[in-house]
Amino acid sequence: MTYTKPEVLKSAFTCPHCSAYSKQEWNTANWFLNKHGTINDKVIRVGQCQNCNQRTLWIQNKMFFPETGNAPIPNPEMPEKVKILYQEAASISMKSPRGAAALLRLSIQILCKELGENGQNINADIKSLVQKGLPEIVQQSLDIVRVTGNEAVHPGQINTDDLETVTKLFDLINIIIEYMIALPNKVSGIYQTLPQSKLNGIESRDNQT
């Protein structure tokens, strides 16, 4: 499933309500606020999905409803404990990119535990997974989320207040899930449909020294 990020006034994108790629209809209004003797012009836009008829609410160029930020839809194979943190990070990403980055770091700590690691030290868990044959692209993805999340907790050289920087972490979490859980499940399901005689032959081949 291809994900197209929601953007204000875009003619079509992946709906945060129904997850379908669908056309959007837009309405615009101005919201005037009288504050300290001045008038501030806030542009409100409402998009309506032509697939499910649900609406999105935007103030200027930021989506405030639903509270999913611009995060991609979580991979269907994402473990529930990881998904809860992922969705919480998505809900605050617009307001606090730094907080979202910290939550995503925690989500990979939980994921490592789901994959059979200790879950106490992310760096050690990634090292263990590498020793077990973790693909390099997944190792790099894990380390990007780990390092960026650490910077959110202990600010240093990476600007975790930048929404664009943090938004990329959501893509990486989905990539990690795809490689570590979704693809193995798909391959295993197809593999088990091979005739038993062929499976026995493969096992015999692999047991030869």
Side-chain angles (χ1 to χ4, degrees):
M1 177 175 59
T2 302
Y3 175 78
T4 301
K5 185 175 77 171
E7 293 180 15
V8 68
L9 296 181
K10 198 168 187 177
S11 61
F13 51 68
T14 301
C15 174
H17 293 286
C18 67
S19 304
Y21 177 80
S22 57
K23 292 182 179 180
Q24 305 290 320
E25 286 191 357
W26 293 93
N27 290 296
T28 301
N30 288 333
W31 176 26
F32 295 96
L33 292 180
N34 193 328
K35 184 178 181 181
H36 304 303
T38 62
I39 296 178
N40 295 326
D41 184 6
K42 298 291 186 181
V43 179
I44 299 176
R45 295 185 173 94
V46 177
Q48 185 171 18
C49 172
Q50 297 305 289
N51 182 65
C52 68
N53 293 322
Q54 294 293 314
R55 292 176 172 84
T56 54
L57 174 65
W58 304 69
I59 299 179
Q60 294 179 328
N61 63 346
K62 290 186 178 181
M63 184 169 67
F64 281 78
F65 177 81
E67 286 190 327
T68 58
N70 284 333
I73 298 163
N75 190 301
E77 299 287 337
M78 188 177 292
E80 189 61 29
K81 291 180 180 178
V82 178
K83 186 188 295 185
I84 289 171
L85 290 168
Y86 182 99
Q87 291 174 329
E88 184 179 353
S91 73
I92 68 168
S93 60
M94 287 287 195
K95 301 171 186 176
S96 177
R98 184 183 298 274
L103 283 170
L104 291 176
R105 175 195 175 279
L106 179 58
S107 77
I108 65 165
Q109 185 170 349
I110 299 299
L111 176 60
C112 287
K113 194 169 184 177
E114 292 281 322
L115 294 173
E117 300 303 322
N118 184 273
Q120 299 298 315
N121 184 299
I122 300 177
N123 206 33
D125 287 346
I126 295 174
K127 179 180 178 181
S128 175
L129 288 169
V130 168
Q131 291 172 341
K132 294 175 182 177
L134 185 75
E136 183 178 11
I137 189 172
V138 182
Q139 169 263 306
Q140 291 176 351
S141 299
L142 285 168
D143 278 321
I144 291 169
V145 180
R146 176 184 65 83
V147 170
T148 307
N150 284 345
E151 290 286 312
V153 179
H154 306 289
Q157 298 177 325
I158 300 175
N159 181 15
T160 51
D161 285 321
D162 177 38
L163 180 60
E164 193 65 29
T165 297
V166 175
T167 297
K168 294 174 183 176
L169 301 184
F170 290 98
D171 286 323
L172 292 177
I173 295 289
N174 278 324
I175 289 171
I176 293 163
I177 298 297
E178 186 66 22
Y179 270 86
M180 296 302 294
I181 298 177
L183 282 176
N185 285 347
K186 291 174 186 174
V187 173
S188 177
I190 298 171
Y191 184 76
Q192 295 303 320
T193 64
L194 293 176
Q196 187 59 49
S197 60
K198 301 299 182 183
L199 293 173
N200 291 341
I202 293 170
E203 183 179 0
S204 176
R205 177 203 66 193
D206 292 345
N207 287 334
Q208 290 179 0
T209 57

